[in-house]
């Protein structure tokens, strides 16, 4: 048979091949604003609810930084007005020093512009992206520009600037620029800034909301007064708990141990000093003349060319720079200075928790400064237990970095992992395997650093460095030991009180029986047996120190400046609560150790115990 005819082939479409010239013609520079406009999830604008929170966060952080740098106790007002079903107008006002006119466009209309990126000192902002990205998001979703009203002095009129960001050029376009003397009435202190951004969003209370962010900000910044007006026209005021500003952070130079070879080569190319010795002393911290000579001497042994302290920078090549880098890595250099850090402090941590958390036991721990990659950092931990906190839920973790709350990506954060790995069973709490402890517990973790290693540009989680995890674990263990001592003491006192009640239940029967058998006075026998029962169970009225030893009127826990015990809350909250912060507590001053107020408190406690013992 003849072979079957094959089916006719379809004609393939002609394909136009690109040439090097045509590909080159399509390439162009990408503005950083264009990149983040398309990838706004990287900055925390994932969804409408989170976008609103991120906008408030960036504005409040900038306001707190400006007020502290100017030496002003912050007073911040946040107002959220709903103009449409999914559209809101956010207004954030502060009493800071204001912004000079020529800087307004750069701060609010240009991404990656700021004063904090190149400074080695603790601050909330780092990248110079936040507030300008919030304005860009508002412009993209509503088409409305950002309005800024600034006043820099009592004798200077308020200045109003309305601008929008040009994403193709990463620069601001000014819509209007006018003086507004009529706005002077909004600045009671004669200076400050008002920022208004209209954007699409969603408002919802609860976890990861503006309400929670401001509550946690009030805890970490007890020196600030914050008022919040929600779209439902509810106003909440978080009062100032301390009238003292945190200490001022000092700027430091980079530490030699924290740089890489490429960075060192770039520094050698850009430096002003001409000799190697002067370069090391002027560009780095903790390098004096003697240490610089030691580094140069060791580097000279690692290269074929001669290197002396007077060698000119211009004559050094890649080999000499690599030899100097290796010498730095092999030489012991003093840790960088820590006056660039301003930790919250144990007393401020306790004041913030007392103001917002209805618990009965509070403890805090501040670790000594440590270093990762040449960057100084300091870890702080505070815990609150009992009271009105829910007893059946897992522990609540409040995470902070440079006094800023971290509300998202909890499981990716180093602080969460450290709390998870701590053996809370050793301190009297229930903890399922691989889970957080269960019980009425709040754990507050704060990292202070010149450069916080965030996992992303949205600054929501701390990277998991071994040095950071170690310091966190030690601080958590210190607070856990104090909590364990308190819980063991309370459990022992409870058992002794139950034992005494059993004795007293049968003393009457024994006295009557002895009277019937021997004729002994039943009343006298009853009093004698009651004294014996009181003496045998006197631990119910005593307190123990951290070693379990009986002490006098005050035990070691109550003498500890980093511990607060509120006995009037110890029986509250047995049925639990749905909210972490049930109601705002008035700011209260903590009596200093050894002060008259502290002594009066001790006397009142001892008098109350004597009275209850007699009764």
């Amino acid at each position: 048979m003849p072979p079957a005819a094959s089916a006719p082939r379809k004609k393939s479409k002609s394909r136009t091949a690109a040439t090097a010239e045509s590909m080159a013609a399509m390439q162009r520079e990408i503005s950083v604003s264009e990149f983040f406009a398309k990838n706004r999830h990287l900055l925390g604008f994932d969804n409408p609810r989170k976008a609103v929170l991120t906008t408030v966060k960036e504005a409040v952080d900038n306001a707190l930084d400006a007020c502290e740098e100017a030496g002003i106790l912050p007073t911040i007002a946040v107002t959220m007005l709903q103009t449409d079903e999914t559209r809101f107008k956010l207004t954030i006002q502060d009493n800071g020093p204001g912004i000079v006119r020529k800087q307004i466009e750069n701060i609010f209309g240009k991404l990656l512009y700021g004063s904090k990126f190149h400074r080695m000192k603790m601050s909330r902002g780092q990248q110079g992206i936040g507030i300008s990205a919030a304005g860009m998001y508002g412009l993209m979703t509503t088409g409305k520009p950002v309005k800024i009203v600034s006043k820099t002095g009592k004798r200077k009129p308020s200045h109003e600037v309305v601008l929008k960001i040009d994403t193709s050029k990463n620069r601001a376009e000014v819509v209007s620029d006018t003086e507004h003397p009529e706005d002077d009435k909004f600045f009671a202190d004669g200076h400050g800034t008002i920022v208004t951004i209209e954007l699409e969003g969603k408002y919802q209370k609860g976890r990861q909301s503006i309400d929670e962010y401001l509550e946690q900000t009030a805890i970490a910044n007890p020196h600030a007064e914050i008022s919040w007006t929600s779209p439902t026209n509810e106003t909440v005021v978080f009062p100032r708990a301390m009238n003292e500003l945190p200490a001022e952070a000092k700027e430091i130079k980079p530490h030699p141990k924290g740089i890489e070879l490429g960075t060192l080569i770039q520094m050698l190319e850009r430096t002003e000093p001409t000799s190697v010795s002067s370069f090391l002393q002027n560009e780095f911290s903790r390098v004096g003349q003697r240490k610089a000579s030691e580094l140069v001497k060791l580097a000279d042994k690692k290269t074929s060319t001669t290197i002396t302290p007077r060698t000119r920078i211009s004559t050094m090549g890649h080999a000499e720079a690599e030899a100097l880098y290796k010498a730095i890595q092999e030489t012991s250099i003093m840790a960088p200075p820590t006056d660039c850090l301003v930790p919250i402090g144990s007393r401020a941590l306790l004041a913030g928790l007392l103001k917002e958390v209805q618990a009965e036991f509070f403890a805090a721990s501040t670790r000594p400064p440590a270093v990762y990659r040449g960057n100084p950092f300091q870890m702080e931990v505070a815990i609150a237990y009992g009271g009105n906190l829910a007893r059946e839920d897992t522990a609540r973790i409040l995470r902070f970095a440079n006094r800023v709350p971290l509300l998202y990506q909890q499981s990716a954060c180093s602080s969460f992992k450290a709390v998870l790995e701590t053996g809370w069973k050793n301190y009297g709490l229930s903890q399922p395997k691989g889970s957080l402890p269960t019980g009425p517990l709040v754990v507050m973790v704060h990292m202070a650093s010149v450069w916080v290693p965030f996992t992303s540009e949205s600054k929501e989680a701390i990277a998991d460095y071994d040095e950071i995890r170690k310091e966190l674990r030690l601080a958590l263990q210190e607070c856990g030991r104090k909590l364990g001592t308190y819980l063991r003491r309370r459990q022992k006192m409870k058992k002794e009180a139950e034992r005494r009640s059993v004795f007293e239940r049968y003393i009457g029967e024994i006295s009557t029986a002895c009277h019937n058998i021997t004729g002994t006075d039943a009343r006298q026998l009853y009093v004698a047996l009651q004294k014996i029962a009181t003496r045998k169970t006197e631990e119910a009225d005593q307190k123990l120190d951290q070693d379990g030893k009986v002490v006098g009127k005050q035990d070691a826990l109550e003498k500890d400046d980093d511990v607060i015990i509120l006995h009037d809350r110890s029986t509250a909250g047995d049925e639990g609560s749905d909210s972490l912060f049930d109601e705002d507590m008035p700011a209260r001053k903590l009596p200093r150790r050894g002060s008259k107020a502290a002594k009066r408190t001790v006397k009142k406690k001892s008098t109350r115990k004597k009275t209850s013992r007699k009764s």
Side-chain angles (χ1 to χ4, degrees):
M1 296 179 62
S6 59
R9 292 183 180 181
K10 294 182 178 180
K11 292 184 178 180
S12 60
K13 294 182 179 179
S14 60
R15 179 176 177 178
T16 305
T19 62
E21 288 76 14
S22 63
M23 294 172 65
M26 291 186 293
Q27 294 174 351
R28 68 179 181 87
E29 182 182 359
I30 302 172
S31 165
V32 64
S33 301
E34 283 184 300
F35 174 80
F36 282 117
K38 288 188 176 181
N39 299 277
R40 58 193 183 195
H41 59 279
L42 297 176
L43 301 178
F45 298 92
D46 304 21
N47 53 70
R49 186 185 181 205
K50 190 176 178 182
V52 172
L53 171 63
T54 302
T55 301
V56 172
K57 172 180 174 295
E58 297 296 344
V60 171
D61 290 351
N62 287 353
L64 288 170
D65 269 339
C67 289
E68 291 175 9
E69 198 164 342
I72 302 169
L73 282 171
T75 301
I76 301 172
V78 181
T79 304
M80 187 174 182
L81 178 65
Q82 186 167 4
T83 60
D84 201 351
E85 184 178 355
T86 61
R87 186 172 293 188
F88 297 87
K89 181 181 288 186
L90 274 170
T91 302
I92 299 92
Q93 178 177 354
D94 64 68
N95 64 332
I99 305 172
V100 296
R101 169 62 192 89
K102 63 180 181 180
Q103 286 292 88
I104 291 178
E105 293 158 60
N106 292 327
I107 293 174
F108 292 93
K110 181 181 289 188
L111 270 66
L112 292 179
Y113 182 90
S115 61
K116 302 167 186 175
F117 184 85
H118 300 285
R119 293 192 301 177
M120 293 284 288
K121 63 181 290 189
M122 174 181 163
S123 63
R124 293 174 181 81
Q126 291 185 172
Q127 303 158 346
I129 295 178
I131 193 62
S132 51
M136 181 181 68
Y137 175 82
L139 179 66
M140 291 173 59
T141 56
T142 67
K144 296 293 184 70
V146 184
K147 185 173 76 172
I148 304 102
V149 180
S150 175
K151 184 174 174 63
T152 57
K154 292 184 178 180
R155 298 183 179 180
K156 298 179 180 179
S158 301
H159 210 104
E160 180 184 284
V161 178
V162 179
L163 57 82
K164 57 184 180 180
I165 185 171
D166 183 353
T167 56
S168 63
K169 300 177 182 178
N170 190 31
R171 68 182 184 188
E173 290 183 0
V174 178
V175 177
S176 65
D177 179 4
T178 54
E179 288 188 356
H180 269 236
E182 61 272 19
D183 289 342
D184 291 352
K185 60 184 178 182
F186 297 118
F187 302 98
D189 298 332
H191 46 76
T193 306
I194 302 175
V195 181
T196 302
I197 300 176
E198 192 166 343
L199 72 168
E200 281 194 0
K202 180 181 179 182
Y203 172 70
Q204 185 177 345
K205 287 188 175 183
R207 298 289 176 89
Q208 298 178 338
S209 65
I210 298 177
D211 303 75
E212 184 190 30
Y213 164 75
L214 293 176
E215 283 177 322
Q216 293 193 22
T217 300
I219 292 176
N221 301 271
H223 60 285
E225 179 179 326
I226 304 173
S227 64
W228 157 236
T229 303
S230 66
T232 57
N233 206 26
E234 298 176 4
T235 300
V236 179
V237 177
F238 303 98
R240 213 185 310 276
M242 301 181 69
N243 290 318
E244 294 180 5
L245 281 168
E248 182 182 0
K250 303 295 179 62
E251 185 176 355
I252 65 169
K253 295 178 181 178
H255 193 266
K257 294 287 187 180
I259 63 167
E260 297 171 323
L261 177 58
T263 305
L264 178 62
I265 293 175
Q266 291 179 358
M267 294 177 69
L268 287 168
E269 293 172 350
R270 300 170 184 173
T271 187
E272 294 182 1
T274 56
S275 66
V276 179
S277 178
S278 58
F279 163 75
L280 292 171
Q281 295 178 57
N282 293 340
E283 298 292 340
F284 296 106
S285 62
R286 299 303 195 190
V287 178
Q289 185 176 0
R290 182 181 300 178
K291 183 61 67 175
S293 300
E294 181 182 346
L295 291 171
V296 172
K297 186 176 180 180
L298 183 58
D300 180 58
K301 296 179 181 179
K302 296 181 177 296
T303 181
S304 58
T305 57
T306 303
I307 304 178
T308 66
R310 295 186 178 182
T311 298
R312 298 183 66 83
I313 298 293
S314 58
T315 63
M316 294 183 65
H318 185 277
E320 291 79 11
E322 189 167 2
L324 183 60
Y325 176 76
K326 291 179 179 178
I328 291 173
Q329 302 308 309
E330 297 177 8
T331 305
S332 175
I333 302 176
M334 185 184 299
T338 57
D339 54 359
C340 55
L341 303 177
V342 184
I344 298 175
S346 296
R347 293 191 62 78
L349 284 171
L350 294 173
L353 284 176
L354 267 172
K355 185 178 66 168
E356 300 296 335
V357 183
Q358 295 282 343
E360 66 185 78
F361 177 86
F362 300 83
S365 172
T366 300
R367 292 289 303 164
V371 179
Y372 82 94
R373 287 180 51 195
N375 297 313
F377 74 97
Q378 197 165 3
M379 301 306 305
E380 299 179 287
V381 170
I383 61 174
Y385 178 86
N388 291 335
L389 301 179
R391 298 182 177 274
E392 302 300 327
D393 296 344
T394 56
R396 179 82 182 278
I397 301 177
L398 309 180
R399 300 173 295 125
F400 297 85
N402 287 355
R403 299 176 182 262
V404 178
L406 309 178
L407 302 184
Y408 286 88
Q409 298 186 17
Q410 177 175 267
S411 59
C413 189
S414 177
S415 57
F416 175 82
K417 296 176 182 177
V419 176
L420 199 68
E421 294 175 357
T422 302
W424 294 98
K425 287 185 178 180
N426 300 330
Y427 311 123
L429 296 179
S430 172
Q431 184 180 19
K433 186 176 181 180
S435 302
L436 293 173
T438 303
L441 178 68
V442 174
V443 181
M444 177 179 175
V445 179
H446 176 241
M447 178 181 184
S449 178
V450 297
W451 185 261
V452 180
F454 291 114
T455 57
S456 65
E457 294 85 352
S458 56
K459 300 183 291 186
E460 294 169 348
I462 301 172
D464 194 14
Y465 282 87
D466 292 338
E467 298 89 344
I468 297 174
R469 182 86 71 89
K470 175 187 174 183
E471 292 298 317
L472 264 174
R473 186 175 65 253
L474 293 173
L476 287 166
Q477 288 173 348
E478 184 177 345
C479 287
R481 284 192 294 269
K482 296 175 182 178
L483 175 61
T485 300
Y486 171 72
L487 292 179
R488 287 192 298 271
R489 185 190 73 184
R490 195 176 69 171
Q491 185 66 22
K492 195 167 186 178
M493 292 173 63
K494 181 180 178 181
K495 288 182 178 179
E496 289 300 319
E498 293 174 353
R499 187 178 170 207
R500 178 184 296 178
S501 66
V502 172
F503 287 156
E504 292 177 345
R505 189 181 306 165
Y506 295 102
I507 285 175
E509 297 293 335
I510 294 173
S511 302
T512 303
C514 289
H515 171 71
N516 294 335
I517 296 172
T518 64
T520 307
D521 187 353
R523 180 60 185 170
Q524 291 182 356
L525 184 59
Y526 179 86
V527 173
L529 289 174
Q530 196 173 38
K531 288 181 179 180
I532 294 173
T534 302
R535 186 173 71 251
K536 291 293 185 181
T537 59
E538 61 184 359
E539 291 186 20
D541 300 319
Q542 291 176 340
K543 295 181 179 180
L544 308 175
D545 62 13
Q546 294 179 350
D547 299 323
K549 299 178 182 179
V550 178
V551 295
K553 295 180 180 179
Q554 268 190 310
D555 69 351
L557 276 181
E558 295 193 354
K559 287 180 181 178
D560 195 334
D561 289 339
D562 297 338
V563 172
I564 295 177
I565 301 174
L566 302 178
H567 296 286
D568 56 342
R569 296 189 194 170
S570 59
T571 58
D574 291 335
E575 298 179 359
S577 173
D578 294 333
S579 174
L580 174 61
F581 310 129
D582 289 337
E583 58 181 349
D584 296 334
M585 291 182 60
R588 52 183 296 170
K589 294 183 179 180
L590 307 181
R592 293 177 299 174
R593 182 177 174 182
S595 65
K596 294 181 179 179
K599 292 177 180 178
R600 286 197 300 269
T601 305
V602 175
K603 289 181 180 179
K604 288 180 180 178
K605 289 179 181 178
S606 60
T607 304
R608 190 182 305 118
K609 288 174 182 174
K610 289 178 182 178
T611 305
S612 62
R613 191 181 303 173
K614 288 180 182 179
S615 60

